[in-house]
Amino acid sequence: MQTQHIKIHDISAQEADLRHAAQILKNGGLVVFPTETVYGLGGNATDAGAAKKIYAAKGRPSDNPLIIHIANPADAEQYAVTNETYFRLAKAFMPGPLTVILPRRECIPTETTGGLDTVAVRCPSHPVAKRLIELAGIPIAAPSANLSGKPSPTSAAHVAQDMDGRVDMILDGGSCEIGLESTIVKIDGDRLTLLRPGGITYDALCMVCEHVTIADAVTHKLADGERPLSPGMKYRHYAPTAPLVLLDGTPEHVIRFLRAEQELGNCAILCYDEELPYLREHHLFPVGERADLQMQAHLLFSALRHADATDAEIIYAHLPPQEGLGLALYNRMLRAAAHTVKHVE
């Protein structure tokens, strides 16, 4: 397949390009597009054949549900059974990095939902994504535009590494603002279950809904045979090829450990900016200051990809905190490391 690459500089001036992309989607093809979280691999969410193409392009198991993207929060009613809690969440957080799981309507095939009777719905805030959905006139099913299990793409260059020749078109909208996939919640009456943390934090959800529970799978492995209720719940996900090990310990102990590893072996390190003066530059990838969780989220997947492009035999990174946006980082990095945590003293 010959993949078209189109850089979007001006949405209004490039309406014809976006209409072309929308037509590809309506014809059952695949288009990669930017969102505020990560790049999405898009296909017609109402077309079972398009869903199968998405799974094939990613090499993704078909029991891993896809998120459908809509142009406006109210459009969810066409594809899912909404309720008061959904619209309360929509008023607070949409358009934005929130995905809500609802009972599906029959127009969304089970091929899109991973065989589930629910559908994950999101309304992205990125202007390119919004205009593309509007022009297509259909909901767009779009997981992250990477090979299954690899770090999610936050730039078109990342997408091209994995998807060139696998999709019809890549729309380049620049670097993604947030850098981590959307928060996913499941509604049960007036209660929420947080299935995947993201830019909308647990504390923010609690400001809108009184009862919010964090699913065990956010910080623990799925049980053997347990079916994922949302994307990103698999045991190993977002992972580089080289083994990733998360380090848990005081800043002093971690620095001492990393200095020793740099002397002894061929490792890559995702480090905090404050640690740069204490470590050799070789295979060193800063992800922002220790306290700057937003920058760490923005840079994480890019840093993992850069580290994996080296000849390093192992990658080290910090175990993030579990508060605020740190919970989203903790969730992604724990899965990228296949739950491999080393306590250093």
Side-chain angles (χ1 to χ4, degrees):
M1 180 185 296
Q2 185 72 33
T3 300
Q4 301 177 60
H5 295 255
I6 297 181
K7 174 73 174 178
I8 302 297
H9 301 281
D10 185 322
I11 293 175
S12 298
Q14 294 180 264
E15 181 90 353
D17 289 328
L18 293 177
R19 287 187 180 278
H20 179 36
Q23 192 60 51
I24 290 173
L25 291 167
K26 287 189 281 189
N27 292 343
L30 302 182
V31 174
V32 174
F33 61 97
T35 79
E36 70 278 17
T37 57
V38 299
Y39 272 75
L41 168 54
N44 183 351
T46 66
D47 181 348
K52 291 177 181 177
K53 287 182 181 179
I54 291 173
Y55 287 117
K58 282 182 66 71
R60 179 186 181 122
S62 60
D63 68 343
N64 206 353
L66 306 176
I67 294 172
I68 73 167
H69 294 64
I70 55 178
N72 298 288
D75 294 343
E77 184 59 34
Q78 301 175 51
Y79 313 110
V81 180
T82 58
N83 53 35
E84 180 184 344
T85 304
Y86 167 78
F87 284 106
R88 198 158 71 241
L89 290 168
K91 182 178 180 181
F93 302 120
M94 295 182 185
L98 179 68
T99 295
V100 181
I101 294 180
L102 299 164
R104 72 175 179 90
R105 295 195 184 276
E106 289 188 3
C107 60
I108 301 297
T110 56
E111 286 82 358
T112 296
T113 66
L116 301 173
D117 288 328
T118 54
V119 60
V121 180
R122 175 161 124 72
C123 180
S125 62
H126 195 290
V128 172
K130 179 176 173 60
R131 188 58 182 147
L132 177 63
I133 301 166
E134 289 173 343
L135 291 171
I138 52 175
I140 300 178
S144 54
N146 54 285
L147 292 174
S148 185
K150 296 297 182 183
S152 298
T154 55
S155 72
H158 297 163
V159 173
Q161 290 171 5
D162 288 4
M163 289 293 137
D164 204 19
R166 292 172 173 262
V167 299
D168 297 284
M169 179 181 287
I170 297 173
L171 295 175
D172 181 354
S175 178
C176 297
E177 177 186 358
I178 296 174
L180 296 180
E181 300 86 351
S182 61
T183 299
I184 301 179
V185 297
K186 189 175 188 297
I187 295 176
D188 183 13
D190 62 349
R191 296 174 178 269
L192 297 181
T193 301
L194 176 59
L195 299 178
R196 183 179 74 184
I200 306 299
T201 64
Y202 169 80
D203 291 336
L205 293 169
C206 289
M207 297 292 289
V208 177
C209 294
E210 184 177 355
H211 304 288
V212 183
T213 302
I214 299 175
D216 287 343
V218 168
T219 54
H220 298 85
K221 302 175 188 177
L222 282 178
D224 290 342
E226 185 179 356
R227 192 166 200 168
L229 296 176
S230 77
M233 296 181 76
K234 291 285 191 177
Y235 168 58
R236 191 167 189 263
H237 212 63
Y238 321 109
T241 302
L244 172 66
V245 175
L246 304 181
L247 303 178
D248 182 24
T250 66
E252 295 78 15
H253 287 149
V254 170
I255 282 290
R256 187 181 307 138
F257 174 84
L258 290 174
R259 286 169 64 95
E261 287 298 300
Q262 283 190 314
E263 292 297 327
L264 294 173
N266 184 17
C267 64
I269 299 171
L270 274 58
C271 70
Y272 297 135
D273 290 355
E274 300 94 313
E275 297 170 325
L276 289 170
Y278 305 101
L279 298 169
R280 289 195 293 116
E281 291 185 11
H282 186 65
H283 294 350
L284 204 57
F285 302 95
V287 293
E289 296 179 359
R290 181 185 300 275
D292 192 347
L293 298 177
Q294 285 189 322
M295 182 59 70
Q296 291 169 41
H298 180 70
L299 294 176
L300 172 62
F301 289 138
S302 178
L304 285 174
R305 283 178 174 264
H306 286 307
D308 211 29
T310 70
D311 62 350
E313 297 172 358
I314 191 168
I315 302 171
Y316 292 112
H318 291 271
L319 182 70
Q322 296 186 48
E323 296 79 38
L325 188 59
L327 182 62
L329 283 161
Y330 182 92
N331 169 264
R332 302 309 193 279
M333 295 183 75
L334 204 62
R335 275 167 170 67
H339 293 257
T340 304
V341 177
K342 182 176 180 62
H343 301 277
V344 294
E345 298 178 352

